[in-house]
């Protein structure tokens, strides 16, 4: 047997053979609270699964999926099978099938510490145990016996035996509870990866959504320790606004009964769209003061998951090739609904500046792929939850709305739901309905936008007459694949008040290498030409020389927030591409970020500035750049309005960029109360933000961090402490961190991530240099031994990116050349990190030339 992986060809053959009528799953979770750990092996729970299914070929052989330490019994059509003969640790072989079959598997499944399967968390604050499941793409088989592929949908009925005092939730509504046994209503036909169980002493709040005759019970939950911070009213407000929007525009009532939303600990993702039982990372419950941008992100995530109830749950892709059919749509609809239905009416600004940056990076990696990807197996699928599938796909859909029109797009969605409810689809199914309602050639559009990879760059070229009027404005398109772009071209000039405002705008179709925008001939000379104004298409924006010179002097004067965000995004892409020196980008941030009104854009600029000085600045200038950033951050912190979200944002940036003894003394003073900045409240989360750089530079020791954990003895506090401990500048500390992550699997996913991020400090390049050889030596072993999630975290997080020299690039190339037969997913991760390193070296060369 090929182990835990599942290929597309295997799934296709199994789907041709089988249809599934239903699952009955009984889980006994009482072992979750046992006080003692097992003498050997993992802690387990009993899982009994009954699957009713049909075979198109009587007598055929197939397999069910199950990852479990042991199996007690297997019965197929009343016939007992020897588990030792039919179960190999990942699959249950099923031979001599009948036309109609009943499979019963009694297994001992393992609780998870990696966020995959049935995750078990012990709250350090009160000792309470919390459980939740997370399956995508294929981890339901860690909890019950499945046919683990999205196109074998079936109704599910769950029964859970739980410890006394617990509550339990699943996809279906609760039908009964008696003697610690909870039974749930049968679901509609759904894929296994979106089934869910949440159990434990959660804090639970309820509400109701009504619209005409439709009533949806609402619930929201979190750990008891977070209850005092839980603003469930705002969660319910956004939920109701989302339901209003989607019901109005989709014309298909929410199909899954109740709607619970669980905020759970140690979650690997942002959220998961389990129908009726959506799960979110608990970091969306804010323990301290946060900015409007944090609430906007949470709102977007809530709406993204809600959009999945239709795109993904009601209608599901046939195989992971068409993952974009749910993720791109949910990403687009999350922002679309946010702008039109909630208080976050500027969310397209965040999308342009933040979300698309993720897409641009992913689309320039060697692993780039079309939006409709070639997913050979489950490992491929796991890695394709990326910036292309989400953000590029959403950008392409935004462009599609401009191409076919808003109403045609929504009507296409409505017909798509009605035609394929509870079924599975491919790209052709969507293109067919969109072509039908729009009258457009969707096949041509799809070939250009969905079936090719890479990002185009659009550059304006302008000529003027003697009077200063435009004689010709052309848009040049670069890229391996030249695509049709529906774009707006905006002309901007300084007005009498010094603001850079738009005075002309034309929408046009850019096609081929050069497109003349005839409508702008004769327009007065602009100070700034902005291609892709209003962010209609997916492209990298370039500037003509005059426009770039204007931005160097007047970027902060661009009055429109979206236009300004697009300019910042374009300048960051120039820096990443080695076309603008990192020091120039940092100068622009220091000159104009203090005037940025959108706090989400400001936070993105801070992250990019730190990335620029860490990776793209010439090594000889890097320390000076870091000092300039810290000084600029402190200057803006003192200027910011007391108590404002901008002040908080600058405080965090100052801590992240702190590099001198004066910086550290101020941070210590703010922690101890001996220093004060008017209006800045140093709450517990901000305290940890201040302690991290102090730990990384050896200013505070283990005792100080232990005392802080005593002050904040919570799950969040423990993660912060672990990160700070790993950040300390000591060879022994780094060895301990490496061993904890690489040589042991005792840490949970959250603590492993905290250890990795703490270990990798930009100020400790020399201290981390010995780990380059150890990194390449451990790769295949860790990939083979760990779950794919932990494997991804280790391979990405410990890559020696801070050893940014040709020797590290050569070592990476040597490993790739010597391991051509390594797992494709592992090679992809290393190739992506190699590409980031090569890009950094090119950018450093550009910056050095400017010095």
């Amino acid at each position: 047997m090929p182990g835990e992986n599942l290929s597309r060809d295997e799934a296709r053959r199994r789907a041709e053979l089988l249809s599934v009528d239903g699952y009955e799953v009984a889980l006994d979770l009482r072992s979750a609270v046992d006080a003692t750990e097992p003498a050997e092996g993992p802690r387990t729970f009993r899982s009994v699964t009954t699957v009713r299914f049909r075979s198109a070929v009587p007598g055929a052989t197939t397999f069910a999926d199950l990852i479990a330490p042991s199996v007690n019994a297997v019965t197929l059509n009343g016939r007992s099978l020897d588990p030792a003969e039919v179960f190999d640790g990942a699959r249950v072989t099923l031979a001599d099938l009948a036309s109609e079959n009943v499979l019963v598997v009694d297994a001992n499944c393992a609780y998870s510490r990696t966020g995959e399967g049935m995750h078990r968390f012990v709250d350090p604050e009160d000792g309470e145990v919390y459980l939740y499941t997370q399956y995508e793409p294929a981890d339901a088989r860690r909890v019950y016996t499945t046919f683990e592929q999205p196109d074998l949908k079936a109704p599910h009925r769950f029964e859970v035996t739980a410890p006394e005092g617990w509550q339990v939730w699943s996809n279906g509504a609760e039908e009964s509870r008696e003697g610690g046994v909870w039974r749930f209503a049968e679901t509609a036909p759904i894929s296994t990866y979106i089934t869910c169980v949440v159990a434990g002493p959660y804090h639970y709040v309820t509400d109701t959504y009504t619209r005409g005759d439709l009533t949806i019970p609402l619930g929201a939950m979190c750990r008891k320790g977070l209850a005092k911070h839980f603003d469930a009213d705002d969660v319910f407000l956004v939920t109701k606004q989302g339901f209003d929007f989607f019901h109005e525009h989709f014309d298909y009532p929410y199909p899954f009964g109740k709607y619970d939303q669980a905020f759970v600990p140690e979650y690997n993702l942002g959220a998961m769209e389990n129908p009726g039982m959506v799960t979110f990372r608990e970091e969306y419950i804010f323990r301290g003061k946060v900015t409007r941008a944090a609430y906007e992100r949470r709102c977007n995530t809530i709406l993204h998951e809600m959009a999945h109830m239709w795109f993904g749950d009601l209608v599901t892709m046939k195989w992971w090739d068409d993952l974009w059919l749910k993720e791109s749509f949910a990403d687009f609809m999350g922002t679309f609904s946010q702008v039109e239905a909630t208080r976050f009416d500027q969310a397209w600004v965040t999308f342009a500046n933040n979300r698309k940056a993720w897409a641009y990076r992913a689309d320039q990696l060697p692993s780039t792929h079309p939006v409709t990807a070639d997913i050979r197996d489950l490992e491929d699928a796991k890695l394709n939850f990326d910036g292309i599938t989400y953000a590029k796909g959403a950008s392409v859909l935004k462009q599609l709305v401009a191409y076919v029109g808003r109403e045609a797009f929504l009507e296409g969605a409505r017909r798509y739901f009605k035609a394929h409810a509870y079924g599975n689809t491919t790209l052709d199914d969507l293109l067919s309905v969109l072509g039908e309602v729009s009258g457009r050639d969707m096949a041509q559009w799809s070939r250009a936008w969905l079936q090719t990879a890479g990002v185009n760059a659009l550059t304006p070229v302008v000529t003027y007459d003697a009077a200063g009027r435009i004689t010709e404005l052309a848009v040049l398109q670069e890229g391996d694949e030249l695509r049709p772009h529906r774009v707006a071209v905006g002309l901007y000039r300084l007005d009498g008040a010094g603001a850079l405002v738009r005075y002309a705008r034309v929408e046009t179709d850019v096609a081929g290498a050069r497109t003349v925008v005839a409508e702008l001939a004769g327009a007065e000379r602009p100070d700034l030409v902005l291609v892709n104004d209003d962010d209609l298409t997916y492209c990298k924006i370039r500037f003509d020389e005059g426009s770039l010179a204007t931005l160097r002097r007047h970027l902060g004067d661009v009055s429109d927030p979206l236009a300004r965000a697009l300019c910042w995004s374009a300048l960051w892409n120039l820096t990443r591409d080695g076309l603008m020196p990192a020091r120039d980008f940092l100068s622009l941030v220091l000159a104009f970020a203090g005037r940025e009104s959108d706090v989400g854009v400001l936070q993105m600029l801070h992250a990019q500035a730190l990335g620029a000085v860490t990776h793209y600045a010439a090594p000889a200038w890097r320390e000076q750049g870091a000092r300039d950033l810290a000084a600029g951050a402190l200057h803006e912190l003192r200027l910011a309005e007391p108590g404002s979200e901008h002040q908080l944002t600058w405080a965090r940036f100052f801590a992240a960029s702190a590099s001198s003894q004066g910086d550290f003394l101020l941070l210590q003073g703010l922690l101890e109360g001996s220093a004060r900045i008017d209006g800045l409240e140093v709450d517990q989360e901000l305290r940890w933000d201040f302690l991290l750089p102090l730990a990384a530079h050896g200013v505070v020791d283990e005792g100080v961090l232990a005392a802080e954990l005593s002050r904040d003895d919570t799950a969040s506090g423990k993660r912060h402490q672990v990160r700070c401990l790993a950040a300390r500048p000591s060879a022994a500390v780094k060895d301990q961190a490496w061993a904890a992550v690489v040589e042991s699997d005792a840490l949970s996913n959250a603590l492993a991530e905290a250890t990795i991020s703490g270990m990798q400090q930009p100020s400790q390049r020399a201290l981390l240099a010995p780990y380059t050889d150890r990194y390449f030596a451990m790769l295949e072993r860790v990939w083979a031994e760990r779950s794919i999630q932990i494997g991804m975290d280790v391979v990405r997080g410990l890559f020696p990116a801070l050893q940014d020299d040709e020797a590290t690039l050569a070592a990476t190339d040597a490993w790739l050349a010597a391991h051509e037969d390594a797992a494709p997913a592992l090679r992809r991760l290393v190739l992506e990190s190699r590409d980031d390193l090569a890009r950094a070296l090119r950018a450093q060369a550009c910056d050095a030339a400017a010095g």
Side-chain angles (χ1 to χ4, degrees):
M1 286 291 185
E4 294 184 9
N5 209 351
L6 174 71
S7 74
R8 177 176 51 204
D9 290 341
E10 289 176 309
R12 176 183 51 77
R13 289 193 296 269
R14 187 162 64 174
E16 290 171 350
L17 178 66
L18 305 182
S19 58
V20 185
D21 295 319
Y23 289 88
E24 297 172 14
V25 181
L27 305 175
D28 188 342
L29 303 179
R30 289 174 293 181
S31 58
V33 297
D34 286 350
T36 57
E37 294 291 335
E40 60 181 39
R43 182 188 293 259
T44 63
F45 59 93
R46 189 180 181 194
S47 169
V48 180
T49 308
T50 301
V51 193
R52 304 180 191 279
F53 65 100
R54 285 167 284 160
S55 172
V57 181
T61 296
T62 189
F63 61 92
D65 301 293
L66 175 67
I67 297 175
S70 63
V71 171
N72 304 313
V74 180
T75 303
L76 177 63
N77 299 329
R79 186 175 78 251
S80 293
L81 307 179
D82 184 352
E85 294 181 1
V86 299
F87 178 60
D88 68 353
R91 296 182 175 185
V92 180
T93 301
L94 306 174
D96 194 21
L97 297 178
S99 297
E100 297 184 358
N101 302 273
V102 179
L103 170 68
V104 182
V105 179
D106 184 342
N108 298 313
C109 294
Y111 294 103
S112 167
R113 292 276 284 156
T114 67
E116 302 153 296
M118 179 70 74
H119 188 79
R120 178 178 179 270
F121 173 79
V122 181
D123 193 334
E125 190 171 2
D126 55 18
E128 296 280 17
V129 176
Y130 294 88
L131 304 178
Y132 64 86
T133 59
Q134 171 56 38
Y135 299 149
E136 191 173 39
D139 286 319
R141 56 192 172 147
R142 298 182 186 274
V143 174
Y144 64 101
T145 305
T146 71
F147 294 113
E148 192 80 279
Q149 57 192 78
D151 59 344
L152 288 177
K153 300 174 89 168
H156 285 71
R157 184 180 291 276
F158 285 91
E159 174 187 295
V160 178
T161 303
E164 184 180 353
W166 276 26
Q167 293 193 78
V168 184
W169 298 265
S170 186
N171 304 89
E174 178 188 328
E175 285 189 331
S176 68
R177 66 175 93 167
E178 184 178 355
V181 179
W182 302 63
R183 294 181 176 85
F184 299 92
E186 185 175 77
T187 70
I190 57 176
S191 303
T192 54
Y193 77 90
I194 50 176
T195 59
C196 184
V197 169
V198 174
Y202 285 89
H203 170 72
Y204 185 55
V205 186
T206 61
D207 202 338
T208 303
Y209 171 80
T210 57
R211 182 182 177 89
D213 295 333
L214 177 67
T215 298
I216 302 174
L218 305 178
M221 67 198 76
C222 66
R223 289 185 295 114
K224 291 191 297 185
L226 286 174
K228 61 186 176 184
H229 305 293
F230 192 21
D231 53 340
D233 287 347
D234 192 55
V235 171
F236 287 139
L237 172 64
V238 172
T239 301
K240 293 173 184 179
Q241 290 169 332
F243 272 132
D244 277 341
F245 179 87
F246 291 125
H247 282 116
E248 179 179 348
H249 291 91
F250 287 172
D251 191 32
Y252 196 107
Y254 170 69
F256 298 110
K258 70 177 179 70
Y259 199 75
D260 282 320
Q261 297 175 95
F263 293 79
V264 297
E266 297 190 325
Y267 204 52
N268 288 323
L269 312 175
M272 183 64 205
E273 68 267 20
N274 315 304
M277 187 66 261
V278 184
T279 42
F280 298 84
R281 64 186 302 112
E282 69 177 16
E283 285 77 5
Y284 281 126
I285 298 174
F286 307 120
R287 299 198 314 151
K289 182 178 179 180
V290 296
T291 67
R292 177 182 171 88
Y295 288 99
E296 181 183 327
R297 282 192 294 272
R298 183 175 72 182
C299 172
N300 183 272
T301 304
I302 290 171
L303 296 174
H304 175 115
E305 302 310 319
M306 186 178 290
H308 273 312
M309 300 300 116
W310 291 266
F311 284 108
D313 294 359
L314 177 66
V315 183
T316 311
M317 70 272 157
K318 187 175 182 66
W319 176 249
W320 301 102
D321 292 344
D322 284 309
L323 175 63
W324 80 280
L325 280 174
K326 72 184 188 79
E327 293 303 346
S328 298
F329 274 89
D331 220 44
F332 170 76
M333 295 304 303
T335 304
F336 186 34
S337 59
Q338 192 173 18
V339 168
E340 300 209 357
T342 77
R343 65 188 184 273
F344 302 106
D345 56 1
Q346 295 295 306
W348 286 124
V349 175
T350 305
F351 182 84
N353 184 257
N354 187 313
R355 203 67 174 168
K356 290 179 82 169
W358 182 28
Y360 294 141
R361 175 188 176 270
D363 215 5
Q364 295 174 88
L365 290 170
S367 58
T368 186
H369 56 85
V371 175
T372 54
D374 179 25
I375 304 298
R376 298 161 297 185
D377 55 31
L378 291 177
E379 287 193 357
D380 277 357
K382 183 73 171 179
L383 268 63
N384 266 45
F385 289 83
D386 60 11
I388 295 173
T389 301
Y390 284 73
K392 180 181 179 178
S395 303
V396 168
L397 291 177
K398 190 168 188 262
Q399 191 263 2
L400 176 63
V401 172
Y403 179 62
V404 304
R406 170 194 170 106
E407 187 48 41
F409 175 80
L410 291 170
E411 177 59 24
R414 290 188 282 266
R415 296 189 187 187
Y416 179 70
F417 301 143
K418 291 181 174 68
H420 302 289
Y422 303 110
N424 296 87
T425 58
T426 64
L427 169 64
D428 289 342
D429 296 308
L430 180 68
L431 295 182
S432 174
V433 71
L434 287 173
E436 177 184 309
V437 298
S438 70
R440 295 275 197 167
D441 182 356
M442 297 308 302
Q444 181 181 359
W445 177 85
S446 172
R447 282 192 297 272
W449 283 105
L450 300 180
Q451 296 168 283
T452 60
V455 57
N456 301 121
L458 301 184
T459 306
V461 177
V462 195
T463 56
Y464 302 95
D465 62 19
R469 292 186 175 274
I470 294 175
T471 55
E472 182 182 85
L473 192 156
V475 178
L476 304 186
Q477 180 178 187
E478 299 174 85
D480 294 335
E481 178 76 22
L482 302 185
R483 300 179 176 87
H485 294 264
R486 184 68 179 175
V487 300
V489 179
L491 305 184
Y492 290 74
R493 63 186 173 198
L494 289 163
D495 66 8
L500 201 54
V501 297
R502 186 170 68 193
Y503 66 93
R505 177 189 184 275
V506 169
E507 277 195 33
T508 189
D509 292 314
V510 169
R514 188 175 190 274
T515 301
V516 175
V517 186
E519 299 91 330
L520 291 175
E524 295 180 5
R525 187 184 193 106
D527 294 309
L528 168 67
V529 179
L530 184 57
V531 176
N532 197 30
D533 205 357
D534 296 323
D535 198 34
L536 299 184
T537 194
Y538 171 78
C539 70
K540 290 194 292 187
I541 299 170
R542 303 300 198 206
F543 300 108
D544 64 288
E545 289 185 11
S547 295
L548 188 55
T550 295
L551 291 175
R552 289 182 187 276
R553 297 190 304 271
H554 297 288
L555 177 53
D557 297 320
V558 178
S559 58
D560 180 70
L562 178 55
R564 197 169 57 248
L566 290 169
C567 291
W568 278 119
S569 175
L571 293 167
W572 175 240
N573 279 320
L574 288 171
T575 306
R576 291 190 73 247
D577 292 346
L579 300 175
M580 171 178 276
R583 66 192 69 194
D584 287 7
F585 180 78
L586 294 172
S587 293
L588 288 166
V589 171
L590 292 172
F592 299 118
R595 297 171 60 184
E596 180 53 58
S597 60
D598 188 300
V599 75
V601 172
L602 179 61
Q603 290 170 345
M604 190 67 173
L605 291 175
H606 288 167
Q608 291 167 344
L610 288 170
V613 78
T614 300
H615 298 294
Y616 301 153
W621 184 79
R622 189 181 288 143
E623 288 188 12
Q624 180 61 52
R627 287 193 295 270
D628 291 348
L629 271 191
L634 181 56
H635 174 73
E636 296 294 346
L637 171 58
R638 295 193 185 281
L639 288 178
E641 180 184 346
S644 68
E645 61 181 1
H646 281 69
Q647 184 190 54
L648 176 61
T649 300
W650 283 107
R652 287 179 175 150
F653 183 51
F654 170 64
S657 58
S659 59
S660 70
Q661 286 304 116
D663 297 339
F664 304 142
L665 285 172
L666 176 57
L667 290 175
Q668 281 185 295
L670 291 170
L671 283 168
E672 295 166 359
S674 58
R676 188 172 182 274
I677 294 175
D678 188 28
L680 183 66
E681 178 186 350
V682 184
D683 61 23
Q684 186 59 64
E685 287 296 296
L686 196 56
R687 290 183 64 84
W688 286 115
D689 288 339
F690 289 176
L691 280 165
L692 180 60
L694 295 176
H697 289 85
V699 179
V700 299
D701 60 16
E702 185 175 0
V704 172
L705 299 175
E708 194 67 27
L709 181 63
S710 297
R711 176 190 180 112
D712 182 26
D713 192 9
T714 64
S716 297
K718 182 63 177 176
R719 287 196 301 273
H720 286 304
Q721 186 220 21
V722 165
R723 183 174 292 109
C724 290
L725 287 171
R728 290 171 296 156
S730 155
V733 164
K734 300 306 175 187
D735 272 343
Q736 291 168 6
W738 178 273
V741 172
V742 175
E743 307 304 335
S744 169
D745 63 357
L747 291 179
S748 70
N749 54 328
L751 295 183
E753 184 278 328
T755 302
I756 291 169
S757 65
M759 180 178 176
Q760 300 284 69
Q761 294 298 313
S763 61
Q764 299 170 1
R765 281 177 161 83
L767 197 59
L768 295 169
Y771 294 93
T772 299
D773 290 343
R774 294 171 68 176
Y775 172 84
F776 291 111
M778 64 84 179
L779 282 175
E780 286 194 296
R781 173 173 59 86
V782 166
W783 191 258
E785 293 176 355
R786 304 298 179 84
S787 72
I788 188 169
Q789 180 64 52
I790 297 298
M792 288 166 57
D793 291 344
V794 171
V795 173
R796 282 176 172 152
L798 292 180
F799 181 83
L802 293 172
Q803 308 307 309
D804 42 1
D805 53 32
E806 293 293 340
T808 306
L809 198 65
T812 310
D813 288 338
W815 186 90
L816 289 166
H819 295 84
E820 292 184 355
D821 296 330
L826 172 59
R827 283 183 58 83
R828 169 176 168 169
L829 292 170
V830 176
L831 277 165
E832 289 177 348
S833 295
R834 188 240 182 244
D835 191 75
D836 283 338
L837 176 58
R839 178 179 291 273
L841 294 177
R842 292 193 298 271
Q844 289 174 20
C846 171
D847 190 57

